[in-house]
Every structure is written in C-alpha cells, then in structure tokens.
Amino acid sequence: MTGPKRGSRGRAPKRNTAQGRGGITRDSTRPARERSPGREEGRPAESRPRREESRTGARTGATNPARRKPGERDSSPERPFKPGPARQAPPKVAKKKPLPELKRVQLDAPPPDATFRDRDGETITFPDSALKRVAARILTQKNKAWRYRPFSFPLFTDKGNEQAFHFDFYIYDAEDSVIRLILVVPFESREVWDRVGRFKRQYPMYAYELWTPERLAQLGGPRGRLDF
C-alpha cells in the first residue's frame, strides 16, 4: 500500500535538492523563459529588428508582379534599358584561288580511218577514240599479240548484283594465255578505281594496267618500254 508513513502526519517525504551558493536551489530560480527580454546573450533586444530591416530593406515597398492587379504598375523606380554592344559581323574569309587546270597531254594520234591487225589477223578500226588508236599503234610497234574486247568479266557488287566489266586490250603470250589486261581511260576517276578494285579482289590471278593519256605519251616516246 501507498500513503504516508506512520508518524509523518500526512506530510510527503523531504527530497534532497542540490543547493548552490547562498542556499539557492533549482526550485527557487525562475525559468529562463520568464526572465526579462531586455538582453539576449549579452546583446540588446533592439538589434534584432535592425538586422531584419537590413535583410528586407531592399524589398520594402516592392510588390510581387504575380499579385498585381490588372492595370496596376510597379511603384519601384524603373531601371533604364541600356542596349548591348552592337554585334560585329563575322570576319570575311578569303576566297581560295581555284586550282590550275591540268594540262592535257597532246598525243599524235593516227587518223580516224587508220586500221590495225590483231593477233588473229582481223582488221580493227577505232574511229571514235584517239586514245585507243594510239594504244593499238603502240602494241603493234612493240610486236605484242593483242585482241580487242574478246570477253567480259562478271563482277559482283556488295549488294549481290552482277555487272559485266570489259577491258579494252587483252595481251597473249605464245601459249595463247592472257598475260595482261589493259584499260584505256581519258582520266582516272572514283568509278573506274571502284570497278578495278572490285576486279582485283575477285580476279587476283590477272595482271592489269590503266593507260591514261600521260601513260600513252610515256610509252609512245623514245624511252617507252612495256613490262610484259
């Protein structure tokens, strides 16, 4: 059972309370929140409103643009609009000079009605191509056994399509075997090298040459020499 002990006359037991100097206890001291707000940590209470004013002073009198009524203007002074610096035009790039045109080699070609004999004794003419007339003359002067377009090579493209590819002159040896293929072109181009490269990959056993006007002029000169 709980309650006062005998002989206590209804009084609660005395608690031991820590005492400071002069007998001051925790119960006899007023709480900090009941003290006078005159000072806060050694600083006057008047310093707080000034600090708040310094923070919000720039916004005093300003109105939120989102809360303004229609037709109401801001009472704050307007800032003058200063245009930015003028945009400079980009520097002019000097135009590149066009590359000089390559001088075409002037070949002394046989007349259009000139005739040539191949290894089989057949007479062939090239009325529409001066380059082929020059090539046929060089092969004839060098005593080469040649034929003109006897057959074509089937080439397969990357997409699987088949193309027929012809060389112009086919050179034979004494055993009737093809030892050289000659393609006469007015100039080298990407399309020509694309077909020739595809031919080289698919028929690596054949040797070929491209005869351009520069190559024909070299072979037709006094020091011209065929390597086959």
Side-chain angles (χ1 to χ4, degrees):
M1 296 180 63
T2 60
K5 298 181 180 181
R6 293 184 179 181
S8 62
R9 298 182 181 181
R11 295 179 181 178
K14 187 177 180 181
R15 294 180 299 175
N16 295 328
T17 306
Q19 297 181 1
R21 294 183 179 181
I24 300 175
T25 62
R26 183 172 56 185
D27 297 338
S28 62
T29 304
R30 297 178 61 185
R33 59 186 177 181
E34 296 181 4
R35 297 177 186 176
S36 174
R39 292 180 176 272
E40 180 183 354
E41 297 181 359
R43 296 182 180 181
E46 298 177 356
S47 61
R48 288 181 295 173
R50 293 178 182 178
R51 185 171 55 188
E52 295 178 359
E53 290 178 1
S54 62
R55 293 180 181 178
T56 59
R59 302 292 297 172
T60 304
T63 306
N64 190 347
R67 297 184 177 182
R68 274 183 273 175
K69 297 179 181 180
E72 183 180 358
R73 300 182 62 184
D74 191 0
S75 59
S76 59
E78 295 183 359
R79 296 180 181 179
F81 175 75
K82 295 181 179 181
R87 189 174 181 180
Q88 298 180 356
K92 295 182 179 181
V93 181
K95 295 183 179 180
K96 295 183 179 180
K97 295 182 180 180
L99 297 176
E101 295 183 0
L102 297 177
K103 295 182 179 180
R104 295 296 180 184
V105 178
Q106 300 295 332
L107 297 175
D108 184 13
D113 57 350
T115 59
F116 305 92
R117 292 184 180 274
D118 63 0
R119 68 183 301 270
D120 300 327
E122 296 183 5
T123 302
I124 301 176
T125 59
F126 305 98
D128 299 333
S129 176
L131 297 180
K132 292 179 183 179
R133 293 197 298 269
V134 174
R137 183 181 63 183
I138 293 174
L139 292 175
T140 303
Q141 291 176 353
K142 304 296 183 181
N143 297 323
K144 300 299 180 179
W146 58 270
R147 284 177 178 171
Y148 178 73
R149 290 201 173 202
F151 57 88
S152 62
F153 291 93
L155 297 181
F156 296 94
T157 63
D158 298 336
K159 297 181 179 180
N161 300 327
E162 182 177 347
Q163 295 178 347
F165 184 58
H166 270 96
F167 284 88
D168 293 315
F169 296 92
Y170 294 69
I171 313 303
Y172 294 82
D173 59 3
E175 298 178 356
D176 201 21
S177 299
V178 177
I179 60 175
R180 192 73 50 155
L181 304 172
I182 298 176
L183 181 63
V184 180
V185 292
F187 54 87
E188 298 179 6
S189 63
R190 183 176 181 180
E191 182 181 359
V192 171
W193 280 114
D194 182 61
R195 290 196 174 188
V196 171
R198 189 177 295 115
F199 170 82
K200 183 178 180 180
R201 292 191 301 268
Q202 298 180 15
Y203 301 94
M205 70 289 296
Y206 289 99
Y208 64 90
E209 293 184 8
L210 263 67
W211 283 9
T212 58
E214 293 77 13
R215 179 63 174 166
L216 291 172
Q218 181 182 3
L219 294 176
R223 298 183 181 181
R225 180 181 177 183
L226 298 178
D227 297 332
F228 51 87

